[in-house]
Structure formats: structure tokens, C-alpha cells
Amino acid sequence: RMIRFESDYLEGAVPEIMSRLIETNYEQTAGYGTDPYCRAAREKIKLECNAFDADIHFLVGGTQANLTVIAAALRPHQGVMAAETAHIEAHETGAIEATGHKVITLPTTDGKINAADVKNYVLRHRADESFEHIVQPAMVYISQPTETGTVYSLPELEELSSVCRELGLILFADGARLSCALACEGTPTLSDLARLCDVFYIGGTKHGALFGEAVVIKNDAIKKDFRYIIKQHGGMFAKGRLLGLQFDTLFTDGLYYKIGRREVAQTAKLRAAFEAKGIEFAHPSPTNQLFPILSKPQLDALREKYSFSVQSLLPDGGAVVRFCTSWASKESDVDALIADIKNF
């Protein structure tokens, strides 16, 4: 069989979620997220975030969460700033632009954007005599971790938040792989994210849920009529209790954090194996994504048994590739890959 490491959402759901879905299968509840399971999940998330004034909404997927939040937060003439590698720019088929909002890209070398670049762009816009003819930058989008597996430290997020508040910008954090970022040393906690961001979401699809993202809104202006925006963008899930039950389970007994720690620990083993062979990485990722730079013989050797994603081809036939671990990655599969790396 082919052993798959190309992404972290290839399997179903953690056993704890599957058990609860089966146990509650014949229960009748109200729809559209108004059920007891969604209420319980909201309260648990508020407690973890130390944000009892937050609004919590459950959506099915990351792209849906991104476009719904951005559509709700921005006026028609406004755009969102993001790294040139950001998911909303590179992997969402123009979903944000389809809502009528431009993605304004900022340069990056590590998948992150910094406060100075944000401030410089906004001040240049405001100083331009033709500013009314140019899309107004009104939001900063980041992902934690980034598309290149890097993470924002707490000081970095604090600096971004400070600049956003100084300039009146909305700070939005995409947390599709947030559990892995939380497992890394020196990164913001859920409480920090709630304190520093206007809105962010907690990813479930890539962390053991069948599907689902939990949007946490702190900014009162974004809270207003958010459910109307969800419905208008096709995100009002009739069987909402399926989302609430999954997040209620993920935030019981620290399961969400355990999943991230396991993924990061498994990836650390793979990283050590690549490093031992002198293989370099395109990005310094401490999370569950690795981006080794492989030669053509190494690629050919691994392709016989493993599935992984190719990020970019190199002139010599090699490539920058991505390996991901997930909540369901088997120790035996990780060990098999390590053994084959050793045989390079």
C-alpha cells in the first residue's frame, strides 16, 4: 500500500468523536447551531480563550471560514493584506475576490508578515493623493501556523496587534492548523489570540474532526449580523449539532492539545532523520509540515512507497516537497519512512 504523508486531513475522525456521533445518532435536536452540543462547545471554547464576551460560530471548512469572516468584516471598497504565500491568495481560487474584496499581498521570506511592512503599506496608501482610487487596506490576515509551517511568536503577534490597533485595522488569524502551533514553544495561547486578534478560528478539519472550524469573534462590529453572512455564503449547516459535538469532544480532557503535540512530535522525528542525512529544508518549520529539498534520486526512491506533495521543481530534477503528519499517522509508517531516509 502507498503510505500517505501529503496532507493532514486524509483520514476520518478521532475515535472519541466517532463514538459520540454514534451514541447521539438518533437524538433529535434543533438545527443550525442552536442545539445543546453547540452551546456546550461554545462555553468550553470561551473558557479556553478566557473570552466570555466572544461570539463563537461553527463552519464546515477553512475557505468558507475565511471568505465569510472577510465578507462580514469589510466594506465594499476595502481589501485584506496578507503574505504572498497566504492561503487566501494562493489556494482559494479567488474566493475572497469573489466576495468583492481584493487580497493585497505583502512580501515574505518565511510565510509571515511583520508589523513594519503592514504599517509602511498603510501609511503609503494614506499619503497617496489618489488614495480614493486605490483599494483601502482595512484588514490584516495571518495564519498560525503559516503555509510554510512557520509560527508567529507571542512578541510578533503582539507587535502586529499593536500596529493594527494604532491604524484601525482588523487583525484576523486563520487557525486551520492551530493545534500544531499551540504545541510549539513560545507561541501565543488561545487566550493570547483572543486578546490580540479581532477574530480568529480554531481548526478542526486538520486536527481530528471529520470537518469543522470554530470562528471566535471579539470585535463587536464583526459580530453584528454574522449569522446572516453565514447563511448568505452557504455556510448555515442544517445539522449544526454535528459541528458542535465534534468541538465539544475536542475540548474535553485536553484532546485538542494532545492531537497537536502528537503531530509535532512525530514530525520532529522525521526532521531529525532528514537532518542526519544532511538534507536541507526550504522553510524552518517546527510544526507538522516539513519542506525538505530532495534530489531526483531521493525523490524517485521515496515515491515508490510514499505519497507527498511537490511544492516546486528544481532545475536539476530535484524538488522542494512537503511531508505532513496527522492525528492518525501510524508510528510504524513514520518509522518506515525514517528507515528509508537513512538508506539515502
Side-chain angles (χ1 to χ4, degrees), residues 202-317:
I202 300 168
T205 303
K206 296 175 181 176
H207 291 307
L210 283 173
F211 47 79
E213 324 296 316
V215 177
V216 181
I217 306 176
K218 289 295 300 299
N219 185 313
D220 289 341
I222 303 174
K223 293 177 185 179
K224 181 176 171 55
D225 294 337
F226 194 79
R227 280 174 63 85
Y228 284 91
I229 308 297
I230 292 175
K231 181 67 176 181
Q232 191 177 68
H233 288 85
M236 189 70 78
F237 195 45
K239 297 183 181 181
R241 71 110 177 265
L242 299 181
L243 289 164
L245 186 145
Q246 291 185 80
F247 277 95
D248 183 56
T249 304
L250 288 173
F251 282 93
T252 297
D253 297 329
L255 179 59
Y256 191 72
Y257 302 101
K258 293 174 186 175
I259 288 169
R261 289 195 295 269
R262 183 177 186 273
E263 292 180 17
V264 168
Q266 286 190 316
T267 308
K269 290 172 59 179
L270 291 177
R271 184 184 303 107
F274 282 118
E275 289 175 341
K277 298 299 291 188
I279 293 171
E280 297 183 348
F281 297 92
H283 311 290
S285 167
T287 55
N288 73 320
Q289 303 180 82
L290 287 180
F291 298 86
I293 304 169
L294 301 183
S295 66
K296 189 176 187 307
Q298 291 167 342
L299 279 171
D300 292 341
L302 292 183
R303 276 175 170 155
E304 293 181 6
K305 290 172 55 178
Y306 306 98
S307 179
F308 47 88
S309 60
V310 176
Q311 303 292 294
S312 59
L313 295 173
L314 303 176
D316 63 0

Side-chain angles (χ1 to χ4, degrees), residues 59 63-73 96 99 226 229-230 233 235:
L59 295 173
T63 297
Q64 186 184 73
N66 287 333
L67 71 89
T68 304
V69 167
I70 291 170
I96 306 308
T99 69
F226 194 79
I229 308 297
I230 292 175
H233 288 85

Side-chain angles (χ1 to χ4, degrees), residues 81 116-128 131 137 163 166-167 169:
M81 290 176 283
D117 286 346
V118 168
K119 187 170 185 175
N120 288 339
Y121 185 91
V122 173
L123 293 182
R124 286 199 310 272
H125 175 272
R126 294 178 182 178
D128 192 317
F131 68 91
V163 163
E166 174 191 345
L167 300 174
L169 306 171

Side-chain angles (χ1 to χ4, degrees), residues 33-89:
T34 61
D35 60 276
Y37 296 109
C38 285
R39 288 197 293 272
R42 289 188 186 101
E43 292 308 309
K44 287 181 179 178
I45 290 171
K46 288 180 182 181
L47 182 63
E48 290 295 321
C49 294
N50 192 28
F52 298 97
D53 61 340
D55 281 4
I56 315 292
H57 300 274
F58 301 108
L59 295 173
V60 171
T63 297
Q64 186 184 73
N66 287 333
L67 71 89
T68 304
V69 167
I70 291 170
L74 298 184
R75 297 185 68 190
H77 59 284
Q78 295 177 328
V80 53
M81 290 176 283
E84 59 194 358
T85 55
H87 203 269
I88 60 171
E89 164 64 15

